[in-house]
Coordinates of all heavy atoms in Angstrom, one line a residue:
W1 N 2.4 -19.4 20.4 CA 2.1 -19.2 19.0 C 3.3 -19.2 18.2 O 4.3 -18.6 18.5 CB 1.2 -18.0 18.8 CG 0.9 -17.7 17.4 CD1 -0.2 -18.2 16.8 CD2 1.6 -16.9 16.5 NE1 -0.2 -17.7 15.5 CE2 0.9 -16.9 15.3 CE3 2.8 -16.2 16.5 CZ2 1.4 -16.3 14.1 CZ3 3.3 -15.6 15.4 CH2 2.5 -15.6 14.2
K2 N 3.3 -19.8 17.0 CA 4.4 -19.7 16.0 C 3.8 -19.5 14.6 O 2.8 -20.0 14.3 CB 5.2 -21.0 16.0 CG 5.9 -21.3 17.2 CD 6.8 -22.5 17.1 CE 7.5 -22.8 18.4 NZ 8.4 -23.9 18.3
A3 N 4.5 -18.7 13.8 CA 4.1 -18.5 12.4 C 4.5 -19.7 11.6 O 5.4 -20.4 12.0 CB 4.8 -17.2 11.9
E4 N 3.8 -19.9 10.5 CA 4.1 -21.0 9.6 C 5.5 -20.6 8.9 O 5.6 -19.5 8.4 CB 3.0 -21.1 8.6 CG 3.2 -22.2 7.6 CD 3.0 -23.6 8.3 OE1 2.2 -23.7 9.2 OE2 3.6 -24.6 7.8
P5 N 6.5 -21.5 9.0 CA 7.7 -21.2 8.3 C 7.5 -20.9 6.8 O 6.7 -21.5 6.2 CB 8.6 -22.4 8.5 CG 8.0 -23.0 9.8 CD 6.5 -22.7 9.7
S6 N 8.3 -20.0 6.3 CA 8.1 -19.6 4.9 C 9.4 -19.1 4.3 O 10.3 -18.6 5.0 CB 7.0 -18.5 4.8 OG 6.9 -18.1 3.4
T7 N 9.5 -19.2 3.0 CA 10.7 -18.6 2.3 C 10.4 -17.1 2.0 O 11.3 -16.4 1.5 CB 10.9 -19.3 0.9 OG1 9.8 -19.3 0.1 CG2 11.4 -20.8 1.2
D8 N 9.2 -16.6 2.3 CA 8.8 -15.2 2.1 C 8.7 -14.5 3.5 O 7.8 -14.8 4.3 CB 7.5 -15.2 1.4 CG 6.9 -13.8 1.1 OD1 7.6 -12.8 1.4 OD2 5.8 -13.7 0.7
S9 N 9.6 -13.6 3.7 CA 9.7 -13.0 5.0 C 8.4 -12.1 5.3 O 7.9 -12.0 6.4 CB 10.9 -12.1 5.2 OG 10.9 -11.0 4.2
A10 N 7.9 -11.6 4.2 CA 6.7 -10.7 4.3 C 5.5 -11.6 4.8 O 4.6 -11.1 5.6 CB 6.4 -10.0 3.0
A11 N 5.4 -12.8 4.3 CA 4.3 -13.7 4.8 C 4.3 -13.9 6.3 O 3.3 -13.9 7.0 CB 4.3 -15.0 4.0
V12 N 5.5 -14.1 6.8 CA 5.7 -14.3 8.2 C 5.3 -13.1 9.0 O 4.7 -13.1 10.0 CB 7.1 -14.8 8.5 CG1 7.4 -14.8 10.0 CG2 7.4 -16.2 7.9
D13 N 5.8 -11.9 8.5 CA 5.4 -10.6 9.1 C 3.9 -10.4 9.2 O 3.4 -10.0 10.2 CB 6.1 -9.5 8.4 CG 7.6 -9.4 8.6 OD1 8.1 -10.1 9.5 OD2 8.2 -8.7 7.8
V14 N 3.2 -10.8 8.1 CA 1.7 -10.6 8.1 C 1.1 -11.5 9.1 O 0.2 -11.1 9.8 CB 1.2 -10.9 6.7 CG1 -0.3 -11.1 6.7 CG2 1.6 -9.9 5.7
E15 N 1.6 -12.8 9.3 CA 1.1 -13.6 10.3 C 1.3 -13.0 11.7 O 0.4 -13.1 12.6 CB 1.7 -15.0 10.3 CG 1.2 -15.9 9.1 CD 1.6 -17.3 9.3 OE1 1.3 -17.9 10.4 OE2 2.3 -17.8 8.4
C16 N 2.4 -12.4 11.9 CA 2.7 -11.8 13.2 C 1.8 -10.6 13.5 O 1.3 -10.5 14.6 CB 4.2 -11.3 13.3 SG 5.4 -12.6 13.4
M17 N 1.5 -9.8 12.5 CA 0.6 -8.7 12.6 C -0.8 -9.2 12.9 O -1.5 -8.6 13.7 CB 0.6 -7.8 11.4 CG 1.9 -7.0 11.2 SD 1.9 -5.9 9.9 CE 2.2 -6.9 8.5
S18 N -1.2 -10.3 12.3 CA -2.5 -10.9 12.6 C -2.6 -11.3 14.0 O -3.6 -11.1 14.7 CB -2.8 -12.0 11.6 OG -3.0 -11.6 10.3
H19 N -1.6 -12.0 14.5 CA -1.5 -12.5 15.9 C -1.6 -11.3 16.8 O -2.3 -11.4 17.8 CB -0.3 -13.3 16.1 CG -0.2 -13.9 17.5 ND1 -1.0 -14.9 18.0 CD2 0.6 -13.5 18.6 CE1 -0.7 -15.1 19.3 NE2 0.2 -14.3 19.6
T20 N -0.9 -10.3 16.6 CA -0.9 -9.1 17.4 C -2.3 -8.5 17.5 O -2.7 -8.1 18.6 CB 0.1 -8.0 16.9 OG1 1.4 -8.5 17.0 CG2 0.0 -6.7 17.6
G21 N -3.0 -8.4 16.4 CA -4.3 -7.9 16.3 C -5.3 -8.7 17.1 O -6.2 -8.1 17.8
L22 N -5.1 -10.0 17.2 CA -6.0 -10.9 17.9 C -5.7 -11.0 19.4 O -6.6 -11.2 20.2 CB -6.0 -12.3 17.3 CG -6.5 -12.4 15.8 CD1 -6.2 -13.8 15.3 CD2 -8.0 -12.1 15.8
S23 N -4.4 -10.9 19.7 CA -4.0 -11.2 21.1 C -3.4 -10.0 21.9 O -3.3 -10.0 23.1 CB -3.0 -12.3 21.1 OG -1.8 -11.8 20.4
N24 N -3.1 -8.9 21.1 CA -2.4 -7.7 21.7 C -1.0 -8.1 22.2 O -0.4 -7.4 22.9 CB -3.2 -7.1 22.8 CG -2.8 -5.6 22.9 OD1 -2.4 -5.0 22.0 ND2 -2.9 -5.1 24.1
H25 N -0.5 -9.3 21.7 CA 0.9 -9.6 22.0 C 1.8 -8.9 21.0 O 1.6 -9.1 19.8 CB 1.1 -11.1 22.0 CG 0.4 -11.9 23.0 ND1 0.2 -13.3 22.9 CD2 -0.3 -11.5 24.1 CE1 -0.5 -13.7 24.0 NE2 -0.8 -12.6 24.7
R26 N 2.8 -8.2 21.4 CA 3.5 -7.3 20.5 C 5.0 -7.7 20.3 O 5.7 -7.1 19.5 CB 3.5 -5.9 21.0 CG 2.0 -5.4 20.9 CD 1.9 -4.0 21.4 NE 0.5 -3.6 21.4 CZ 0.1 -2.4 21.8 NH1 1.0 -1.5 22.3 NH2 -1.2 -2.1 21.8
G27 N 5.5 -8.7 21.1 CA 6.9 -9.1 21.0 C 7.0 -10.5 20.3 O 6.3 -11.4 20.6
F28 N 7.9 -10.5 19.3 CA 8.2 -11.7 18.6 C 9.6 -12.0 18.4 O 10.4 -11.1 18.3 CB 7.6 -11.6 17.1 CG 6.1 -11.5 17.1 CD1 5.5 -10.2 17.2 CD2 5.3 -12.6 17.1 CE1 4.1 -10.1 17.2 CE2 3.9 -12.5 17.1 CZ 3.3 -11.2 17.2
R29 N 10.0 -13.3 18.4 CA 11.4 -13.7 18.1 C 11.3 -14.1 16.7 O 10.5 -15.0 16.3 CB 11.8 -14.8 19.0 CG 13.1 -15.4 18.7 CD 13.5 -16.4 19.8 NE 14.8 -17.0 19.4 CZ 15.0 -18.3 19.0 NH1 14.0 -19.1 19.0 NH2 16.2 -18.7 18.7
R30 N 12.2 -13.5 15.8 CA 12.3 -13.9 14.4 C 13.6 -14.6 14.1 O 14.6 -14.2 14.6 CB 12.1 -12.6 13.6 CG 10.8 -12.0 13.7 CD 10.5 -10.7 13.0 NE 11.5 -10.3 12.0 CZ 11.3 -9.6 10.9 NH1 10.0 -9.3 10.7 NH2 12.2 -9.3 10.1
M31 N 13.5 -15.6 13.3 CA 14.6 -16.4 12.9 C 14.7 -16.5 11.4 O 13.7 -16.6 10.7 CB 14.5 -17.8 13.5 CG 14.7 -18.0 14.9 SD 13.2 -17.9 16.0 CE 11.9 -18.7 15.2
C32 N 15.9 -16.5 10.9 CA 16.2 -16.7 9.5 C 17.2 -17.8 9.4 O 18.3 -17.6 9.9 CB 16.6 -15.4 8.8 SG 17.0 -15.5 7.1
T33 N 16.9 -18.8 8.7 CA 17.8 -20.0 8.6 C 18.2 -20.2 7.1 O 17.3 -20.2 6.2 CB 17.2 -21.2 9.1 OG1 16.7 -21.0 10.4 CG2 18.1 -22.4 9.1
S34 N 19.5 -20.4 6.9 CA 19.9 -20.7 5.5 C 20.7 -22.0 5.6 O 21.2 -22.4 6.6 CB 20.8 -19.6 4.9 OG 22.0 -19.5 5.7
F35 N 20.8 -22.7 4.5 CA 21.5 -24.0 4.4 C 22.5 -23.9 3.3 O 22.3 -23.3 2.3 CB 20.5 -25.1 4.1 CG 19.5 -25.3 5.2 CD1 18.2 -24.7 5.1 CD2 19.8 -26.1 6.3 CE1 17.3 -24.9 6.2 CE2 18.9 -26.3 7.3 CZ 17.6 -25.7 7.2
A36 N 23.6 -24.6 3.5 CA 24.7 -24.7 2.5 C 25.1 -26.1 2.3 O 25.2 -26.9 3.3 CB 25.8 -23.8 2.9
M37 N 25.5 -26.4 1.1 CA 26.1 -27.7 0.8 C 27.5 -27.5 0.6 O 27.9 -26.6 -0.2 CB 25.4 -28.4 -0.4 CG 23.9 -28.6 -0.3 SD 23.5 -30.2 0.4 CE 24.4 -31.4 -0.5
V38 N 28.4 -28.2 1.3 CA 29.8 -28.0 1.1 C 30.4 -29.3 0.5 O 30.1 -30.4 1.0 CB 30.5 -27.7 2.5 CG1 32.0 -27.6 2.4 CG2 29.8 -26.5 3.1
V39 N 31.2 -29.1 -0.5 CA 31.9 -30.2 -1.1 C 33.4 -30.0 -1.0 O 33.9 -29.0 -1.4 CB 31.5 -30.3 -2.6 CG1 32.2 -31.5 -3.3 CG2 30.0 -30.5 -2.8

């Protein structure tokens, strides 16, 4: 299972909590990615 990527961290957390409630799976890997343009 994977959460829908979002610019809102709280939205991802809510999806994880919903998955936990349905599956009793309690461990998640969280990633935060940023992009930069270099000139």
Side-chain angles (χ1 to χ4, degrees):
W1 178 88
K2 292 183 180 183
E4 185 71 30
S6 177
T7 57
D8 180 6
S9 64
V12 173
D13 290 344
V14 167
E15 283 195 58
C16 290
M17 288 186 284
S18 294
H19 180 72
T20 295
L22 295 172
S23 65
N24 202 30
H25 295 167
R26 298 180 183 177
F28 296 90
R29 177 174 177 247
R30 295 177 10 149
M31 289 88 41
C32 178
T33 306
S34 65
F35 297 94
M37 299 273 308
V38 178
V39 178

